[in-house]
Amino acid sequence: MMRLQLWPRARCLFDEPVQVKVAGLRSNQVVTMKARSTDERGRLFKSSAIYRADETGEVDLNRDPSLSGSYIGVEPMGLLWSLSPEILHKLFTKTKALIPHVVKISVYEEGEEGQMLAEVTNERFLIADGVSRVPVSEGNIRGVLFTPPGEGPFPAVLDLCTFVSETRACLLANKGFVVLTVAMFNDKPRDIKEFHLDLYQEAIDYLLKQPKVSFKGVGVLSRSKGGDVALALAAFVPGIEAIVWINGCSGSSVYPLFYKKHQILSQLSLDISKAIPTESGASIIKHVIEDPLAEKNKGSLVPVQKVKGRLLFVASGDDLNWDSKGYMDEMVERLKRHGKNNFESVYYPLAGHLLEPPYYPFCPSSFHIMTPFPVLWGGEPKAHIAAEVDLWEKIQEFFKTHLSCDPAKSTANL
């Protein structure tokens, strides 16, 4: 009898791999493996790959290479990360922690009109058993707080996500961290004219007051626009022990930054005319932002040399959003000139801008908040996905090492 199975189980956490196995086929039979999923906006994403069974009639995605399709070669999670939208330039939207990522995985006979032989459902949960989710609307803070089970104390992390999203914060809470996620942009991003550090200091103070949080300090997790705000927080606001900066900028990008009613950093402006259009309809905007090292822009540079906490810089070599590798290198050199050694850096040469938690559908292009057209994000798909898996472990280890208590006390499981 033909069987399609997911190991170790069909229900798992979002960042956990599954093993896809087919048994009961004919010896050396060629089949098409397919996956499909609908995101939170109701948009369909699909992937497919051709496999040949071994002599015993089995296909094991952990062992066997895809011959053609959405990816080629041995890619155990290829069906998930290669999920692509039916409509071009769409980003897979997964923001709500209480709604699982549901993927239908199926096996078909060879050929476009091949009959479906079997199908299974992979439910990928964001929130683990025992993790609490509490919406926060206190003072100027609008976010969601995730707390792991157990008595604590736990290390605390402020997640500066670009738009409202609970994905990264919830997955990190599953690992034993108290995480408050706050979005950089609200539902009317074009109305924003400036950023204020006071809001994020308020979020830091809120985290430190939580009964399960360690007293020592907090970590900050950031990417893209959140990167320069995270660095400024660490430079100007006390209580921050560890900062993860992913594909960000070294200056205050696009918006001026204020603290205690005074402007502390000027903004780096955009010149959209420098965007490079491509045949896909999406443009490369890597060089549309002003050079932070130009004399007129020196007031935008974040004084990273004032940061007392630990820094983890992460840059992608194929980031087509902006020159994150160049920004990282400049900040590392500046820190060295000031005799600082409170940093480490990670470089992924073939990864793109949108480094997500593991197994998130790879997005080559989508619309951008700052442009009237879609943009290319960059990244060679296989290398990008491998970077995401590697980085997710590095982030956890970095926060465990440099925050003040042991998150292993958590017992969160699916």
Side-chain angles (χ1 to χ4, degrees), residues 132-202:
S132 72
R133 174 192 177 275
V134 178
V136 178
S137 180
E138 182 174 308
N140 294 306
I141 307 170
R142 301 294 180 270
V144 181
L145 179 71
F146 293 95
T147 306
E151 297 180 1
F154 299 110
V157 175
L158 175 64
D159 180 13
L160 298 181
C161 55
T162 306
F163 292 97
V164 175
S165 176
E166 302 173 17
T167 301
R168 191 168 61 177
C170 183
L171 292 174
L172 196 56
N174 295 343
K175 309 298 183 181
F177 298 88
V178 175
V179 188
L180 173 63
T181 178
V182 175
M184 302 301 302
F185 296 97
N186 55 29
D187 56 354
K188 296 181 179 179
R190 297 190 183 278
D191 291 345
I192 297 176
K193 305 299 181 185
E194 58 197 35
F195 277 86
H196 290 259
L197 276 188
D198 308 75
L199 163 62
Y200 307 104
Q201 181 177 30
E202 195 174 335

Side-chain angles (χ1 to χ4, degrees), residues 79-90:
L79 288 173
L80 273 76
W81 63 250
S82 69
L83 286 165
S84 300
E86 287 192 310
I87 303 172
L88 199 60
H89 310 314
K90 297 299 180 183

Side-chain angles (χ1 to χ4, degrees), residues 216 241-242 310-311 344 397-404:
K216 183 182 177 185
E241 295 294 319
R310 295 290 307 183
L311 291 157
E344 52 196 280
E397 188 59 36
F398 178 77
F399 283 141
K400 289 177 184 178
T401 300
H402 299 297
L403 298 178
S404 60

Side-chain angles (χ1 to χ4, degrees), residues 32-44:
T32 302
M33 302 293 301
K34 295 184 179 181
R36 68 183 188 275
S37 181
T38 303
D39 76 355
E40 291 174 356
R41 295 185 179 181
R43 299 177 299 208
L44 181 63

Side-chain angles (χ1 to χ4, degrees), residues 366-413:
S366 68
F367 280 87
H368 192 286
I369 178 179
M370 294 300 165
T371 65
F373 45 75
V375 304
L376 290 176
W377 298 111
E380 188 283 316
K382 289 186 180 182
H384 184 93
I385 299 306
E388 290 179 331
V389 174
D390 182 73
L391 177 59
W392 189 234
E393 293 299 322
K394 279 184 166 58
I395 289 171
Q396 295 171 53
E397 188 59 36
F398 178 77
F399 283 141
K400 289 177 184 178
T401 300
H402 299 297
L403 298 178
S404 60
C405 49
D406 182 9
K409 294 180 181 179
S410 170
T411 57
N413 293 292

Side-chain angles (χ1 to χ4, degrees), residues 232-249:
L233 262 177
F236 293 101
V237 176
I240 299 172
E241 295 294 319
I243 307 94
V244 177
W245 175 98
I246 304 170
N247 289 335
C249 189

